[in-house]
Each structure stands twice: as structure tokens, then as C-alpha cells.
């Protein structure tokens, strides 16, 4: 699998395109808002001859969904989210204007995924983890064999997702980190929703919010 990261919109949100040798790809959390950002995403898809087969939101905060409608229309794919984040998605009708995203175009969810489901594309797959706490219906996409976790806003390099937004809950987030993320092998790379990537082993030892977890 190859992972391409873009940094989009005023929240410096990480958008990921993941593809394999078959050139099929999935787009995760398209945060492209400005037309230049949409053009950058489109150019990458064209330049690499990719076929978009899925559009997935790890969760539906405004910074992760700004490009949903663009991707749906451009590539004819439905939107996949966790059912418990429908409210978060709908709230963006109001949230978008509060944050100044006047041109936000709302999209409905078309498909739902939950823990133990698999997302398939080309010859590749991701397992789905349900990791609430930052948002009610937050998921992560994991391939342990390839040592990849697309983690959204659960765990950051030496930080964690905020829990003060609607649907957030600190204890639930810590439970997701300790019982889901920290159960993954130490050498799994976490591709975060903001900022640089990290890995499980490093965060077990160095994340100030999680304490030092010994194996
Ligand atoms: Zn978020
Ligand atoms: Zn975010």
C-alpha cells in the first residue's frame, strides 16, 4: 500500500489517499475546501492513474468532511461513515458557517461501517476499529500486516484528540487508545488527522496523556 498525505483547510487537516499496485484507491477524510486544494487532490489522482473506489470519514468533524461532496461528484462514490457519527455530520450545516466555511456543501452518508468490517480496494484491505471518545462514531482503519493505522483524531504525536466538542468524552477516548490502539503492535505507524505520523510503541512510552504503558 502507498499512502499519500495532503494537508488541507484552515485546520491543517490531513487527507489521505491510499492505493496499491492495482491503482485502486480510497480517499479518507477529504478536507479540501479551496478550489486549489480540490485541484491538488484531483491532479494527484490523474497523475497516478488512480481509480477511486471508496470515500471514508474517520469521523465527521467539519475539517474532515469539507471535500466529501467534491469527491462524491467527481468520482461517483458513496460516503462511508460510522452510524453513530450521523449527528456529527448533520451538525455541520450549522458548524460550517460558525467556522467561516460558507461554501460547504453537505453530503449524506451512503454506507455505514463498524468494527470487524473490512474496507477492500484492489488487492488490499483495512480492518475497521471503533474508537469513540473524540467523536461518537469515530473509526480507524488498520492493516496490521502492512503496519498501518489511519487513526483520525484519536491519537496524535505526543497528544490526543480533544474531548470538549459535542459527542466527546475523555474516559471513552482513553479507553479507545488503551484498549484498541495500544493493543496494536508497537511498530504500527499511526497516520494522524493532524500533524506528523507516529507509531504505537513511541506513544506508549512518550505520550504525556496516556502515561507510560509497560508490556
Ligand atoms: Zn475531529
Ligand atoms: Zn480534525
Amino acid at each position: 500500500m502507498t499512502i499519500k498525505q495532503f494537508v488541507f483547510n484552515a485546520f491543517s487537516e490531513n487527507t489521505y489517499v491510499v492505493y496499491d499496485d492495482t491503482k485502486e484507491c480510497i480517499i479518507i477524510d477529504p478536507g479540501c475546501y479551496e478550489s486549489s486544494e480540490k485541484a491538488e487532490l484531483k491532479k494527484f489522482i490523474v497523475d497516478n492513474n488512480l481509480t477511486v473506489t471508496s470515500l471514508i470519514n474517520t469521523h465527521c468533524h467539519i475539517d474532515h468532511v469539507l471535500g466529501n461532496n467534491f469527491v462524491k461528484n467527481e468520482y461517483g462514490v458513496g460516503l462511508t461513515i460510522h452510524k453513530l457519527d450521523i449527528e456529527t455530520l448533520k451538525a455541520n450545516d450549522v458548524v460550517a458557517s460558525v467556522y467561516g466555511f460558507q461554501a460547504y456543501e453537505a453530503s449524506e452518508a451512503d454506507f455505514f461501517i463498524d468494527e470487524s468490517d473490512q474496507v477492500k480496494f484492489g488487492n488490499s484491505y483495512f480492518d475497521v476499529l471503533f474508537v469513540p471518545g473524540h467523536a461518537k462514531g469515530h473509526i480507524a482503519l488498520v492493516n496490521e500486516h502492512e503496519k498501518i493505522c489511519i487513526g483520525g483524531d484519536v491519537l496524535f504525536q505526543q497528544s490526543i484528540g480533544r474531548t470538549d466538542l459535542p459527542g466527546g468524552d475523555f474516559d471513552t477516548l482513553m479507553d479507545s487508545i488503551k484498549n484498541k490502539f495500544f493493543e496494536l503492535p508497537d511498530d504500527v505507524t499511526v497516520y494522524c488527522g493532524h500533524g506528523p505520523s507516529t507509531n504505537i510503541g513511541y506513544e506508549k512510552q512518550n505520550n504525556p496523556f496516556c502515561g507510560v504503558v509497560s508490556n
Side-chain angles (χ1 to χ4, degrees):
M1 277 191 227
T2 305
I3 300 175
K4 168 67 178 175
Q5 175 196 329
F6 301 85
V7 181
F8 286 146
N9 74 58
F11 288 93
S12 297
E13 180 267 353
N14 292 331
T15 293
Y16 294 101
V17 174
V18 187
Y19 57 102
D20 70 10
D21 294 341
T22 68
K23 299 284 186 182
E24 286 193 1
C25 78
I26 61 174
I27 300 178
I28 302 156
D29 292 350
C32 42
Y33 178 68
E34 305 293 342
S35 49
S36 60
E37 294 172 337
K38 292 172 185 170
E40 187 185 348
L41 177 64
K42 188 173 171 176
K43 183 178 184 332
F44 182 83
I45 303 285
V46 169
D47 287 353
N48 289 279
N49 251 327
L50 302 179
T51 302
V52 182
T53 60
S54 288
L55 162 63
I56 300 166
N57 291 158
T58 59
H59 66 298
C60 296
H61 284 151
I62 187 66
D63 47 329
H64 296 252
V65 307
L66 287 165
N68 276 352
N69 207 43
F70 170 73
V71 170
K72 283 180 88 161
N73 291 336
E74 191 71 29
Y75 302 109
V77 288
L79 171 63
T80 301
I81 69 170
H82 191 283
K83 216 172 212 152
L84 290 179
D85 240 35
I86 292 175
E87 272 174 57
T88 316
L89 185 61
K90 290 210 168 113
N92 288 321
D93 294 345
V94 174
V95 171
S97 56
V98 170
Y99 285 101
F101 298 111
Q102 307 298 347
Y104 169 66
E105 295 165 338
S107 290
E108 305 248 311
D110 301 287
F111 308 109
F112 299 109
I113 45 174
D114 202 348
E115 188 146 290
S116 82
D117 286 339
Q118 274 194 340
V119 173
K120 293 181 177 157
F121 61 101
N123 296 321
S124 304
Y125 69 91
F126 279 113
D127 293 313
V128 177
L129 288 184
F130 177 54
V131 284
H134 169 72
K136 252 189 192 167
H138 199 302
I139 54 144
L141 300 176
V142 176
N143 184 302
E144 281 196 35
H145 180 69
E146 302 246 0
K147 313 284 187 193
I148 295 168
C149 171
I150 310 287
D153 289 357
V154 172
L155 181 70
F156 300 120
Q157 188 192 72
Q158 295 195 289
S159 189
I160 58 172
R162 54 190 289 190
T163 53
D164 58 324
L165 297 167
D169 182 77
F170 182 80
D171 291 338
T172 305
L173 181 69
M174 294 313 293
D175 187 65
S176 289
I177 292 171
K178 289 185 172 158
N179 296 317
K180 301 282 177 72
F181 276 40
F182 282 4
E183 290 297 312
L184 298 171
D186 281 356
D187 58 353
V188 168
T189 298
V190 181
Y191 294 85
C192 308
H194 303 268
S197 302
T198 185
N199 72 55
I200 297 296
Y202 180 85
E203 295 309 319
K204 279 184 184 170
Q205 295 302 321
N206 297 291
N207 193 302
F209 295 91
C210 305
V212 175
V213 179
S214 54
N215 282 340

